[in-house]
């Protein structure tokens, strides 16, 4: 990389605040993390974990969360700012002045309460909302945070308080679901402490990796939604915990944006002889990441919110929204250092695909340059997740026979006005911010659903199987809200139920909330459709693909949603009244699907 040739030490030229605002992610000031939160908010603390001392296999992860009766409270203020994560100055949207945003942490079984205030009032005011990625929201579908689906956007100058339970444990993140707003910086990590499936000594916490555009997010949306767009937009850089260097000499000649070479990389510390848990999260907008640590094997222990049977690897692959937890044994000597690498895969669209962070062993000069060599593991160029034969949930669960099977093909096309759009199940979708689907379903206003809503009512079906054939040339991270997908099959070519279909794993398939489908490939997934009434998006997590219509809305058990027990909180309807009042004065410039 060019910037490595121009520096002999890793002393960043920018201050941490110039790069990342008030955030300390990626600095040596970032904390390590406990096995559980000691405080329970009642003036005392836990001497033992709330779930006892057994390993993860002893608990059903979906039904055995302890009833802690503890609420972890957070206060988020969303506002604009200017930072330079890679040295190139850019307007962004921040949580509490931080990029990446502050940590949310809780114990398994706790409640989480977050007051979100929308202070995006300067220049062009925007709505916002916050999605808690991977949280099931059982009994609280209106807290899922998706404008036009589960709520109206939070109007500028207004606030909304989300409250939901940490039903699952592991690593995740939160992000805006208002258009592609999160690509402008509006996201942060979540850690829910719970039973372990592997022993380790040190938890280094979240390591977020993401592609990065120098244009603001809305400019990229305008590019993607403009007539003549060819289907690909290229990121400018790749970041680890919000940091990376950029060669400012590569700017366009007429680009007068302030830019600083050698802005500064993220840094971590290993303790010799200790085992370390690292919580990788792909928080990007488009690119699939391949992550490795020079000279160190990684033991994979969890995918998304699901503990798995451990296996060793040198490279892990993460699509957008996916999380992989690993344990790394620090076998190096005191005074040594190595590179942590995140590479945007060759099937992603990136101008500068490599991100680096330094891992220092104790006793090392913390500004020294690692001299380690990358593993020789070629990029297969498929953007596929690890083979399903490797990824077996630690707590086994068999899949019931489906009560309904649905085919959802992925295609793209240029419409009559030369706009590049996606179809999922034959529909290019869009939401209506002023009339969320969940509220209309609750109020039994089915007649208002337009075809472009792509609302699919699965009624009282108990188990739904969906066959997704990707007939296009791009890979896609498919994300399901409100549930885990049983991933029964994933591979190349189209899947067919006739002839000689590929074998489906129904005994203990991988469960997760994001699964990659390769270009020209397929996945077969199944949902427990009767356990969580709600309206749940199923969509591609590439921000620009969602903007161009790639999503559906799954309605599960509308009969239960309409029961008295599912009364929508008054605050949800007040948010819609606030949004209506705002849009009576200001017309939002919604040029994409809105999701």
């Amino acid at each position: 990389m060019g910037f490595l040739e121009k520096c002999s030490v890793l002393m960043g030229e920018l201050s941490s605040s110039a790069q990342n605002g008030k955030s300390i992610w990626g600095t040596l000031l970032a904390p390590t993390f406990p096995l559980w939160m000691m405080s329970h908010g009642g003036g005392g603390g836990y001497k033992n974990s709330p779930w006892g001392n057994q390993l993860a296999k002893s608990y059903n992860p979906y039904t055995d969360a302890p009833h802690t009766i503890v609420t972890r409270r957070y206060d988020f203020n969303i506002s604009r700012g200017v930072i330079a994560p890679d040295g190139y100055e850019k307007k962004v949207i921040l949580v509490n002045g931080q990029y990446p945003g502050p940590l949310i942490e809780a114990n398994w079984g706790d409640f989480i309460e977050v007051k979100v205030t929308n202070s995006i009032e300067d220049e062009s005011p925007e709505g916002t909302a916050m999605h808690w990625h991977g949280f099931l929201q059982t009994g609280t579908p209106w807290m899922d945070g998706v404008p036009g689906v589960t709520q109206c956007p939070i109007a500028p100058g207004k606030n909304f308080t989300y409250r939901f339970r940490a039903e699952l444990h592991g690593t995740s993140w939160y992000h805006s679901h208002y258009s592609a707003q999160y690509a402008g910086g509006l996201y942060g990590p979540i850690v829910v402490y719970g039973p372990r499936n592997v022993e380790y000594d040190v938890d280094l916490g979240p390591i977020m990796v993401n592609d990065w555009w120098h244009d603001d997010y809305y400019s990229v949306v305008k590019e993607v939604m403009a007539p003549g767009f060819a289907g690909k937009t290229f990121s400018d850089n790749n970041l680890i915990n919000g940091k990376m260097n950029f060669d400012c000499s590569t700017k366009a000649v007429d680009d007068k944006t302030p830019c600083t070479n050698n802005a500064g990389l993220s840094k971590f510390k290993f303790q010799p002889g200790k085992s370390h848990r690292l919580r990788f999260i792909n928080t990007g907008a488009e690119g699939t990441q391949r992550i490795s640590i020079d000279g160190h094997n990684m033991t994979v222990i969890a995918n998304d919110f699901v503990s798995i049977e451990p296996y060793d690897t040198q490279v892990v692959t993460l699509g957008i929204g996916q999380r992989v937890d690993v344990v790394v044994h620090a076998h190096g000597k005191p005074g040594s250092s190595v590179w942590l690498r995140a590479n945007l895969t060759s099937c992603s669209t990136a101008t500068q695909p490599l991100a680096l962070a330094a891992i220092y062993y104790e006793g090392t000069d913390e500004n020294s340059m690692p001299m380690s060599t990358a593993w020789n593991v070629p990029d297969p160029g498929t953007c596929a997740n690890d083979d399903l034969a490797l990824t077996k949930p630690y707590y086994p669960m068999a899949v019931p026979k489906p009560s309904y099977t649905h085919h959802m093909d992925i295609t793209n096309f240029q419409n009559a006005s030369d706009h590049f759009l996606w179809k999922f199940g034959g529909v290019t979708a869009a939401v209506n911010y002023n009339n969320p689907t969940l509220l209309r379903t609750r109020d039994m206003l089915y007649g208002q659903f337009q075809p472009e809503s792509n609302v699919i009512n699965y009624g009282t079906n108990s188990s739904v199987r969906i066959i997704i054939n990707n007939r296009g040339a791009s890979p896609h991270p498919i994300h399901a809200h409100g549930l885990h997908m049983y991933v029964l099959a994933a591979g190349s070519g189209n899947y067919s139920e006739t002839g000689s279909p590929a074998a489906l794993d129904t005994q203990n398939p991988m469960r997760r909330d994001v699964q990659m489908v390769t270009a020209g490939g397929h996945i077969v997934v199944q949902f427990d459709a009767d356990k969580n009434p709600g309206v749940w998006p199923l969509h591609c997590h590439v921000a620009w693909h969602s903007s161009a219509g790639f999503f559906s809305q799954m309605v599960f058990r509308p009969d239960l949603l309409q029961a008295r027990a599912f009364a929508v909180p008054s605050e949800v309807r007040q948010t819609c009244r606030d949004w209506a009042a705002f849009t009576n004065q200001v017309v939002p410039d919604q040029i994409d699907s809105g999701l």
Side-chain angles (χ1 to χ4, degrees), residues 369-388:
M369 177 88 70
M371 303 302 292
S372 59
T373 303
W375 288 107
N376 182 20
V377 182
D379 179 357
T382 62
C383 281
N385 289 130
D386 284 356
D387 195 304
L388 292 174

Side-chain angles (χ1 to χ4, degrees), residues 31-270:
T32 57
F33 294 82
L35 295 177
W36 66 86
M37 295 183 73
M38 300 293 290
S39 169
H40 55 54
Y46 292 112
K47 294 182 179 179
N48 299 304
S49 73
W51 48 87
N53 58 5
Q54 293 180 305
L55 295 177
K57 189 168 285 187
S58 303
Y59 304 93
N60 183 320
Y62 303 100
T63 61
D64 291 349
H67 293 278
T68 63
I69 322 178
V70 173
T71 298
R72 310 288 176 182
R73 292 183 171 86
Y74 298 87
D75 201 331
F76 283 1
N77 185 58
I78 312 303
S79 63
R80 287 195 173 95
V82 177
I83 55 174
D86 63 353
Y88 186 97
E89 197 171 278
K90 173 181 172 177
K91 291 183 179 181
V92 293
I93 302 177
L94 304 173
V95 182
N96 295 351
Q98 302 175 43
Y99 175 74
L103 174 73
I104 287 178
E105 58 182 338
N107 288 329
W108 189 34
D110 288 350
F111 281 89
I112 296 171
E113 190 171 286
V114 189
K115 179 183 177 182
V116 176
T117 299
N118 182 0
S119 297
I120 313 173
E121 300 180 83
D122 54 335
E123 301 177 24
S124 177
E126 293 183 34
T128 195
M130 203 68 76
H131 171 56
W132 318 99
H133 186 108
F135 283 76
L136 300 181
Q137 301 292 357
T138 303
T140 56
W142 41 80
M143 295 296 172
D144 195 42
V146 185
V149 180
T150 62
Q151 66 170 97
C152 294
I154 304 169
K158 301 297 182 179
N159 64 73
F160 182 76
T161 298
Y162 296 90
R163 179 178 170 83
F164 51 93
R165 190 167 181 236
E167 302 170 72
L168 303 173
H169 58 83
T171 304
S172 199
W173 61 309
Y174 58 85
H175 61 85
S176 169
H177 228 307
Y178 181 94
S179 182
Q181 199 176 59
Y182 84 85
L186 192 43
Y187 67 81
I190 304 176
V191 174
V192 179
Y193 305 103
R196 289 178 290 169
N197 56 337
V198 168
E199 298 292 330
Y200 52 86
D201 302 307
V202 182
D203 188 341
L204 289 183
I207 300 178
M208 293 159 277
V209 294
N210 64 283
D211 46 18
W212 188 246
W213 275 256
H214 287 162
D215 286 335
D216 66 89
Y217 91 88
Y218 190 62
S219 294
V220 183
V221 171
K222 287 193 287 187
E223 173 194 354
V224 168
M225 300 307 299
F229 177 66
K232 292 183 178 181
T233 176
F234 287 79
S235 60
D236 294 290
N237 212 338
N238 197 17
L239 311 181
I240 298 177
N241 271 1
K243 297 179 184 292
M244 186 52 190
N245 289 347
F246 176 71
D247 184 353
C248 296
S249 69
T250 62
K251 286 195 313 173
V253 175
D254 59 348
D255 186 349
K256 305 303 181 184
T257 305
C259 187
T260 302
N261 286 308
N262 302 322
L265 306 185
S266 286
K267 299 178 179 182
F268 304 92
K269 185 173 286 187
F270 271 3

Side-chain angles (χ1 to χ4, degrees), residues 148-436:
V149 180
T150 62
Q151 66 170 97
C152 294
I154 304 169
K158 301 297 182 179
N159 64 73
F160 182 76
T161 298
Y162 296 90
R163 179 178 170 83
F164 51 93
R165 190 167 181 236
E167 302 170 72
L168 303 173
H169 58 83
T171 304
S172 199
W173 61 309
Y174 58 85
H175 61 85
S176 169
H177 228 307
Y178 181 94
S179 182
Q181 199 176 59
Y182 84 85
L186 192 43
Y187 67 81
I190 304 176
V191 174
V192 179
Y193 305 103
R196 289 178 290 169
N197 56 337
V198 168
E199 298 292 330
Y200 52 86
D201 302 307
V202 182
D203 188 341
L204 289 183
I207 300 178
M208 293 159 277
V209 294
N210 64 283
D211 46 18
W212 188 246
W213 275 256
H214 287 162
D215 286 335
D216 66 89
Y217 91 88
Y218 190 62
S219 294
V220 183
V221 171
K222 287 193 287 187
E223 173 194 354
V224 168
M225 300 307 299
F229 177 66
K232 292 183 178 181
T233 176
F234 287 79
S235 60
D236 294 290
N237 212 338
N238 197 17
L239 311 181
I240 298 177
N241 271 1
K243 297 179 184 292
M244 186 52 190
N245 289 347
F246 176 71
D247 184 353
C248 296
S249 69
T250 62
K251 286 195 313 173
V253 175
D254 59 348
D255 186 349
K256 305 303 181 184
T257 305
C259 187
T260 302
N261 286 308
N262 302 322
L265 306 185
S266 286
K267 299 178 179 182
F268 304 92
K269 185 173 286 187
F270 271 3
Q271 299 178 30
K274 302 290 187 180
S275 56
H276 299 71
R277 180 174 185 164
L278 288 71
R279 301 169 179 267
F280 295 118
I281 313 168
N282 187 339
T283 55
E286 188 276 337
T288 301
Q289 303 269 1
R290 301 180 78 240
I291 301 171
S292 62
I293 301 173
D294 292 356
H296 291 67
N297 287 318
M298 297 179 285
T299 300
V300 180
I301 64 171
N303 285 334
D304 297 352
F305 265 147
V306 179
S307 299
I308 65 172
E309 297 286 352
Y311 68 94
D312 292 338
T313 188
Q314 294 169 347
V315 178
V316 294
T317 301
L318 281 81
I320 302 297
Q322 291 186 319
R323 293 87 67 209
V324 173
D325 290 39
V326 303
V327 171
V328 180
H329 178 67
H331 56 70
K333 297 178 180 179
S336 62
S337 60
V338 296
W339 289 118
L340 165 65
R341 302 172 187 265
N343 279 282
L344 290 163
T345 59
S346 58
C347 52
S348 300
T349 51
T351 303
Q352 198 298 98
L354 174 63
L356 294 172
I359 297 178
Y360 296 113
Y361 278 82
E362 291 182 343
T364 309
D365 177 356
E366 294 167 358
N367 289 314
S368 62
M369 177 88 70
M371 303 302 292
S372 59
T373 303
W375 288 107
N376 182 20
V377 182
D379 179 357
T382 62
C383 281
N385 289 130
D386 284 356
D387 195 304
L388 292 174
L390 288 174
T391 55
K392 293 297 180 183
Y394 198 59
Y395 185 91
M397 296 180 69
V399 180
K401 184 177 180 180
S403 59
Y404 181 71
T405 298
H406 191 191
H407 291 256
M408 296 280 284
D409 283 1
I410 301 166
T411 57
N412 58 67
F413 69 107
Q414 302 281 154
N415 71 4
S417 55
D418 201 27
H419 290 84
F420 183 94
L421 300 172
W422 294 94
K423 286 185 177 182
F424 191 30
V427 178
T428 299
V431 297
N432 183 338
Y433 284 153
N434 291 72
N435 289 288

